[in-house]
Amino acid sequence: MTRKGLLVWSSSLLAVLAVTGCSVDPYCFTCPQGGSGDGGRETGTGGGDAGEAGRPDTGMVDPDACVINGAEVCNGMDDDCNGMVDDGNPGGGGTCGVERGECRPGTLACMDGELVCTGANVAMPEACNGRDDDCDGETDEGNPEGGGPCGTDEGECRRGTARCDPTTGAIVCEGGQDPVAEVCNARDDDCDGCPDGTRAAGGGGCVQIDLGMSCGMDVGACAPGRIVCRAGAEVCEGATMPRAEACNGEDDDCDGMPDDGFDLTTDPRNCGRCGNACEFDNAVPICADGECSIRFCRSGFHDLNGDPLDGCEYACEFRGAEACNGRDDDCDGMTDEGLVPPTTLCNATGACAGTTPTCRGALGYGCMYGPTVSQDADGRIVPETTCDNIDNDCNGRVDDNPAFITVGMACGNGIGGCRSMGMQVCTADGMGTVCNAPPAGAPGTETCNGIDDDCDGVADETRAAPGMNPSFVTEDVVAFDVNTGGGTTLRYMYRYEASRPDATASAQGASSARSCSRAGVQPWVNVTYIQARDACASAGMRLCTELEWLYACRGPAGDGGADDNLYCEWAVSDANECNYTGTSDAPPPVGRCNTNELDWCPSSAEPRCATLCDDVAFRRPGETVDQCRTRLNTVDQDGALPTGSLPMCIQRWDTGGGAQSIFDLTGNVREWAQARSAGVNPIRGGSYENVYFGATCNLDFSLANDTFQYNNLGFRCCSDSPP
């Protein structure tokens, strides 16, 4: 077989030829052969054979000989000995490659003795480009081109880690800090290695950043500069700034007006012209119409002759209007002239009243007081020594000797509510004082009013600490049942919203000593949870729990019928009261409780409105009673009413006439209940600012922290046993 011009012999073929003993040209397969072994035309003698084409038999193989090896195949040889290698594209023409990802099929072609797939997109190493480069059905898998560091650690930047984002087919730098636009803040924000306020220059190094703003002004003597960044701050450099204006013909302060502020017609330092100063002896000059004159003399000097050439020539210490003292007080060149004796020189108080002053020349005026004035040998008033109801020392205080200092002071006998009041008066001999108060009164029963009613030195004491007198405040509470599983579990709640001890119908008072349960007074509002809790504790009670508040508001169980155990939606009692008819809900409290729908005074004939305006503290400044009543009838009077003002706004815990009724659980003011947890404090009941559906017994979503307070938020107290 022949490959690339070389002849390769088959060993088996040579063996056959040797056995047969044929006389052949061992190097020619196409030469004619006969029985005598002549393979060609005889051209010589001695039986020698002539070579192919008459060539002599040299014993060498023809290097151009070809051996047919069958059909042409793609191997770089002329298999069919037609003089052409791999002709006809042997083995080619078929489809090759795959169609997946970025790969596309091609066509097989015989090239250089080998079958090659041409025109195909073949698999490549995966790159981060949003494509399936390796044609394995996945895009950008394995974080191609990622994992290495990215970014820079220069300036404010920090390196991150490169990651191929398969959703975008792009490398993203994660966990680092990228450069941002440079600002003047003493930091290298754009991470170019140049200090704040500079940037990298094209040829290396750093150059100052021009912030693009001029500064200063181009007016008068001023010249503008440029704003540059220095040490993290924008500063103005190269500018000529305004300076104090001088009288020099220039605009020194750069306001467009040369020598402004220098009025040559009135400026005593530049009177008539710049630099012309007005000066006079012992005087302060003035410039008027460009001419100098004396404005006023300096202290201790006066211009009596009116001649400006000698300035203020008269030396005199001015003391004011002329007085009786032997001196020229008004510095007019005359002494003690034209005096009118003063009417107030002498003490006109107390026993000194009516004394007329007398002028004594250089000694001044003297006052000759009467015999009831306390004086020493020189006529000077001295402290009084007699308690006689006279102001002997004329100081406006009667009997003010330390021994009689208490004269006129309030005094009393007894303590607390028993105390009778009087005042200290002089004794009959004028040597001491005594209290003229009547004897002390008898102790009474202690009530919660800020007064020591039982006269034991303690006001409003509780059962637990009644003081020396065993009388104590009997808390006005209502017993109610919190047991719904049979039996009775009583708790005790303030009948009324808590008030301060000194509260009145028009003011909530100021005392925070303890809380009270009283009718007809303003409830204690604008109170924090802590203040409410402590006020109950000072009364020997505590804030009500949410469960106690809910049970008290909803009322007792039903009447035993089919609808038993149904409770009130609001704490309202009237002819349709829910607890005693078996209905599940009381009528809405509109007009019955102080919710937003109720006005205090729908008519001036209302009894509770007829007297409100009689209280001056209730009226506005300067408002008459009639004006006050008109105002109440024409405006929305939402606000807190005195406790227990609305007789139907109750929850009854008896079946009688309401002796065990709790007032204002619905509306008027909202009420603190015991904390659910630290700082999580519930608020119940609604107020005069809530519509009635926001004041139901069950409404429990209002919460506040320990310091919250509002002018519609109060509280009431509870206890486990009768307080």
Side-chain angles (χ1 to χ4, degrees), residues 306-562:
D307 185 357
L309 295 179
D310 60 2
C312 295
E313 80 288 351
Y314 181 54
C316 177
E317 188 67 33
F318 183 81
R319 296 175 177 82
E322 197 70 18
C324 181
N325 55 13
R327 294 191 294 263
D328 182 8
D329 300 287
D330 55 7
C331 298
D332 61 356
M334 296 178 288
T335 301
D336 293 346
E337 80 285 357
L339 293 177
V340 176
T343 58
T344 59
L345 180 63
C346 293
N347 195 322
T349 304
C352 297
T355 302
T356 301
T358 301
C359 180
R360 297 175 297 174
L363 296 177
Y365 284 101
C367 298
M368 305 301 293
Y369 295 112
T372 59
V373 177
S374 298
Q375 303 177 74
D376 62 12
D378 295 324
R380 291 176 297 217
I381 297 175
V382 296
E384 57 188 310
T385 58
T386 303
C387 187
D388 57 3
N389 295 320
I390 297 174
D391 179 12
N392 306 100
D393 53 7
C394 309
N395 63 358
R397 297 186 298 272
V398 175
D399 298 333
D400 63 333
N401 186 291
F404 320 130
I405 195 67
T406 60
V407 169
M409 292 185 180
C411 61
N413 292 318
I415 60 175
C418 301
R419 186 170 178 80
S420 63
M421 299 304 297
M423 61 184 299
Q424 294 285 342
V425 297
C426 294
T427 58
D429 59 5
M431 301 306 295
T433 63
V434 65
C435 182
N436 65 359
T445 301
E446 196 70 22
T447 59
C448 195
N449 56 7
I451 300 173
D452 179 15
D453 302 288
D454 59 358
C455 309
D456 61 357
V458 183
D460 302 339
E461 56 264 46
T462 64
R463 178 193 295 269
M468 293 184 296
N469 188 322
S471 177
F472 56 86
V473 173
T474 301
E475 309 295 344
D476 193 356
V477 297
V478 173
F480 64 99
D481 187 10
V482 297
N483 192 330
T484 60
T488 300
T489 302
L490 292 181
R491 293 288 186 270
Y492 300 85
M493 175 182 281
Y494 269 3
R495 183 185 306 276
Y496 304 103
E497 292 161 324
S499 58
R500 295 179 184 267
D502 56 345
T504 65
S506 59
Q508 66 165 319
S511 173
S512 58
R514 57 159 291 163
S515 60
C516 300
S517 175
R518 296 169 54 203
V521 297
Q522 285 292 318
W524 189 344
V525 295
N526 208 26
V527 58
T528 68
Y529 175 83
I530 300 300
Q531 292 168 339
R533 179 198 66 190
D534 293 347
C536 286
S538 297
M541 302 181 73
R542 56 173 171 76
L543 285 174
C544 303
T545 67
E546 286 193 272
L547 186 62
E548 290 170 341
W549 199 99
L550 176 64
Y551 281 17
C553 180
R554 294 195 311 179
D559 59 358

Side-chain angles (χ1 to χ4, degrees), residues 29 155 198 206 213 277 364 415 429 496 590 670:
F29 287 167
T198 64
C206 302
M213 294 179 287
I415 60 175
D429 59 5
Y496 304 103
V590 177
R670 298 187 296 168

Side-chain angles (χ1 to χ4, degrees), residues 599-606 609 626-637:
D599 280 339
W600 295 350
C601 299
S603 167
S604 59
E606 285 284 333
C609 301
D626 290 339
Q627 290 171 336
C628 173
R629 289 174 177 170
T630 300
R631 171 170 56 85
L632 291 184
N633 294 335
T634 57
V635 299
D636 183 18
Q637 303 108 11

Side-chain angles (χ1 to χ4, degrees), residues 251-310:
D251 182 11
D252 303 284
D253 58 2
C254 309
D255 62 355
M257 295 181 290
D259 295 339
D260 59 310
F262 294 93
D263 186 351
L264 301 184
T265 64
T266 62
D267 187 353
R269 294 169 298 178
N270 302 278
C271 189
R273 66 184 184 279
C274 285
N276 182 36
C278 298
E279 295 180 352
F280 298 98
D281 292 340
N282 308 317
V284 174
I286 186 173
C287 178
D289 296 327
E291 297 291 335
C292 294
S293 61
I294 294 175
R295 181 180 183 185
F296 57 84
C297 294
R298 296 189 183 278
S299 178
F301 295 91
H302 302 270
D303 181 19
L304 294 184
N305 60 16
D307 185 357
L309 295 179
D310 60 2

Side-chain angles (χ1 to χ4, degrees), residues 58-76:
T58 65
M60 297 297 292
V61 178
D62 186 349
D64 295 325
C66 178
V67 178
I68 297 175
N69 198 29
E72 193 76 14
V73 294
C74 187
N75 55 10

